[in-house]
């Protein structure tokens, strides 16, 4: 018997509960100012602050930011070093304010690659803010969508080996809990700044039915007006999840 989705599944989007952002364009922003790329990364921190404040004001419940991909280690060591330094400083600088605003902060990715100092700071930030409930901020670092799929498959295989999961029962529902961000709804809106129209190994599994929004604005230039434009665009979308369009329903 084929199961048909309930007719209410297709719906007009309003405020996205979960926004995922590829924060791209820091390097170009710096180059336009004849500055090193690290200058752009530092400037990008201001846009992160503005975006968190905007999410709090607009009632967005989950914000997932792509801060460092599993491929970004391929960059020159000076840039990677500057980024690590920035993460450390940002963790110290921002955490009080985030906690005050009831933001729960988590770090998503293969964290073992980071220095002890960074890992400790990440862990402290996550523990300190764990019971905050106004906004969940997922910071993806050394994250890759393919890494996520591999770690999900590995953990599922381990559950099979322990006799907790029947391999024959593995399907989308039983595999889903092993992916990162399984405890929050899938992103409703994906935003990529910086003009590139690609996902760059971000949340490959989780973006299956996410609405995509691309802007040429470079990440450090992102402000309320830019985010409002993304929200307006999203509000005009009809999310169908494979259903027939609303106008065609019943025809
Ligand atoms: C995004 O900006 C930040 C990271 C990937 C860490 P980029 O550094 O990729 O900036 P562009 O794309 O080169 O301008
Ligand atoms: C994606 O941006 C990763 C982050 C924003 C952290 P990249 O600049 O690394 O992506 P590509 O290289 O343009 O695909
Ligand atoms: Mg880039």
């Amino acid at each position: 018997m084929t199961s048909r989705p309930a007719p209410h599944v297709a719906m007009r989007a309003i405020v996205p509960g979960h926004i995922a952002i590829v924060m791209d364009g820091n390097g170009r922003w710096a180059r336009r100012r004849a500055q090193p790329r690290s200058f752009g990364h530092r400037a990008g921190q201001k846009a992160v602050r503005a975006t968190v404040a905007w999410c709090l004001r607009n009632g967005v419940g989950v914000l997932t930011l792509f801060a460092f991909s599993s491929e970004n280690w391929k960059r020159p060591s000076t840039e990677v070093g500057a980024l690590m330094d920035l993460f450390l400083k940002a963790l110290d600088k921002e955490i009080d304010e985030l906690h005050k605003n009831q933001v729960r902060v988590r770090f998503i990715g293969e964290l073992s690659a980071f220095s002890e100092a960074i890992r400790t700071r990440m862990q402290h930030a996550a523990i300190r803010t764990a019971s905050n409930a106004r906004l969940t901020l997922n910071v993806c670092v050394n994250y890759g969508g393919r890494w996520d799929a591999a770690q999900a498959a590995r953990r599922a295989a381990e559950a099979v080996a322990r006799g907790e999961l029947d391999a024959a029962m593995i399907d989308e529902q039983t595999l889903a809990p092993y992916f990162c961000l399984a405890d929050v709804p899938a992103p409703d809106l994906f935003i990529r700044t910086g003009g590139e129209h690609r996902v760059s190994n971000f949340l490959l599994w989780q973006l299956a039915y996410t609405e995509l929004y691309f802007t040429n604005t470079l990440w450090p230039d992102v402000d309320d007006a830019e985010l409002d434009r993304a929200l307006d665009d999203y509000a005009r979308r009809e999310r169908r999840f494979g259903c027939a369009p609303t106008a065609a329903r019943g025809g």
Side-chain angles (χ1 to χ4, degrees), residues 89-230:
K89 290 195 177 123
L91 276 162
D92 287 341
K93 196 167 164 212
E94 308 292 341
I95 202 66
D96 288 340
E97 184 73 9
L98 289 168
H99 189 42
K100 200 177 84 194
N101 286 323
Q102 293 166 50
V103 178
R104 172 170 69 146
V105 187
R106 292 138 21 126
F107 297 88
I108 311 294
E110 178 57 279
L111 305 185
S112 64
F114 293 101
S115 72
E116 181 71 32
I118 293 183
R119 272 187 292 139
T120 306
R121 298 271 212 309
M122 286 177 179
Q123 209 180 3
H124 283 169
I127 291 169
R128 184 169 167 209
T129 62
S131 56
N132 291 340
R134 213 170 140 208
L135 170 70
T136 294
L137 173 62
N138 301 306
V139 184
C140 295
V141 282
N142 193 22
Y143 176 88
R146 288 176 175 171
W147 164 82
D148 196 355
Q151 69 80 31
R154 186 173 58 247
R155 293 198 299 130
E158 285 163 1
V160 170
R162 285 194 304 271
E164 293 164 12
L165 182 66
D166 179 355
M169 298 293 285
I170 293 181
D171 59 12
E172 291 175 32
Q173 268 70 43
T174 50
L175 195 58
Y178 295 96
F179 278 84
C180 292
L181 305 182
D183 61 337
V184 291
D188 299 294
L189 174 62
F190 163 100
I191 298 174
R192 180 167 184 146
T193 64
E196 308 291 2
H197 293 187
R198 56 179 172 253
V199 174
S200 297
N201 200 16
F202 198 23
L203 308 159
L204 300 180
W205 168 276
Q206 298 85 345
L207 295 177
Y209 264 105
T210 302
E211 297 295 324
L212 307 179
Y213 180 85
F214 298 94
T215 170
N216 289 330
T217 303
L218 303 174
W219 177 250
D221 288 329
V222 165
D223 57 11
D224 288 354
E226 183 64 52
L227 295 165
D228 286 343
R229 274 195 291 279

Side-chain angles (χ1 to χ4, degrees), residues 57-75:
R57 273 200 311 282
N58 283 279
V60 172
V62 185
L63 173 64
T64 300
L65 299 176
F66 205 7
F68 192 83
S69 79
S70 44
E71 287 74 37
N72 288 150
W73 297 107
K74 296 179 198 161
R75 295 187 179 199

Side-chain angles (χ1 to χ4, degrees), residues 23-29 37 41 66-69 72 75 79 83 87 192 196 218-219:
M23 309 183 289
D24 197 28
N26 295 350
R28 280 163 282 166
W29 188 90
R37 294 175 59 84
H41 296 315
F66 205 7
F68 192 83
S69 79
N72 288 150
R75 295 187 179 199
E79 183 176 351
L83 276 165
F87 289 155
R192 180 167 184 146
E196 308 291 2
L218 303 174
W219 177 250

